[in-house]
Amino acid sequence: NMKISIIAVGRISNSFESDLVNRYINRFNKINKLIGLSQLQIIEVDDKKYKTKQQQAKKILEIIKTETKIVIFDQKGKSISSENFTKYLINQRDSGVKKLVFIIGGAFGLCRSLYKESNEIFSLGKMIWPHFLVRVMVTEQIYRSASIILGNPYHKN
């Protein structure tokens, strides 16, 4: 089973946004095995402990390990539809990728060095979104993809 993780800079603790993130992670984790994926997890990199983008990048790379496909969400990335995002997940799973990591930067973005390590850079559109809302959107899209794969009516919403 392919393991999917989200590494996000900053801590959102107990908030409306964290409740939404957890809701989508929990929904995904109820159906993940049906589509050949491991449980989704989110890993926070504390921006109070790792203050500079360089320190954050170093910590992220420590977490990632080898044999991992890395996807960064960035406004300047490739715009992708929900259907194509789903196809991307299926292609990664079916080509034997063991670990897929989505990286979301903090309020000040990500260190340029991480972009050299990434396999893909996706955009959630041309608008700039607060990093904690990007987490909600990414977890929702991962759950939506699982729903598309299963033919679940949620996707039609």
Side-chain angles (χ1 to χ4, degrees), residues 25-92:
I25 287 174
N26 291 336
R27 284 182 184 179
F28 175 88
N29 287 342
K30 287 179 183 159
I31 61 174
N32 63 306
K33 286 188 178 80
L34 300 173
I35 56 173
L37 299 173
S38 294
Q39 292 212 325
L40 176 61
Q41 66 168 346
I42 190 157
I43 303 161
E44 292 185 319
V45 173
D46 189 344
D47 56 354
K48 298 206 180 1
K49 185 174 180 184
Y50 304 97
K51 290 182 171 41
T52 69
K53 287 195 232 181
Q54 289 79 9
Q55 290 171 331
Q56 293 163 6
K58 186 171 184 250
K59 181 62 180 169
I60 288 168
L61 290 172
E62 282 172 18
I63 294 166
I64 286 177
K65 312 280 188 280
T66 56
E67 295 178 35
T68 302
K69 284 270 186 147
I70 300 169
V71 177
I72 291 175
F73 278 94
D74 184 285
Q75 178 199 12
K76 296 179 189 84
K78 182 169 46 179
S79 192
I80 187 167
S81 68
S82 295
E83 286 79 8
N84 285 336
F85 183 70
T86 301
K87 286 177 188 166
Y88 178 80
L89 290 181
I90 291 168
N91 288 340
Q92 300 312 300

Side-chain angles (χ1 to χ4, degrees), residues 5 7 68-73 85 88 92 100-104 110 117-122:
S5 302
I7 299 177
T68 302
K69 284 270 186 147
I70 300 169
V71 177
I72 291 175
F73 278 94
F85 183 70
Y88 178 80
Q92 300 312 300
L100 180 62
V101 172
F102 295 104
I103 301 176
I104 301 169
L110 291 167
E117 304 290 330
S118 70
N119 300 93
E120 291 285 347
I121 303 169
F122 291 148

Side-chain angles (χ1 to χ4, degrees), residues 82-83 86 144-145 147-148 151-157:
S82 295
E83 286 79 8
T86 301
R144 181 175 295 273
S145 289
S147 297
I148 291 171
N152 184 319
Y154 168 80
H155 171 59
K156 303 296 180 217
N157 295 346

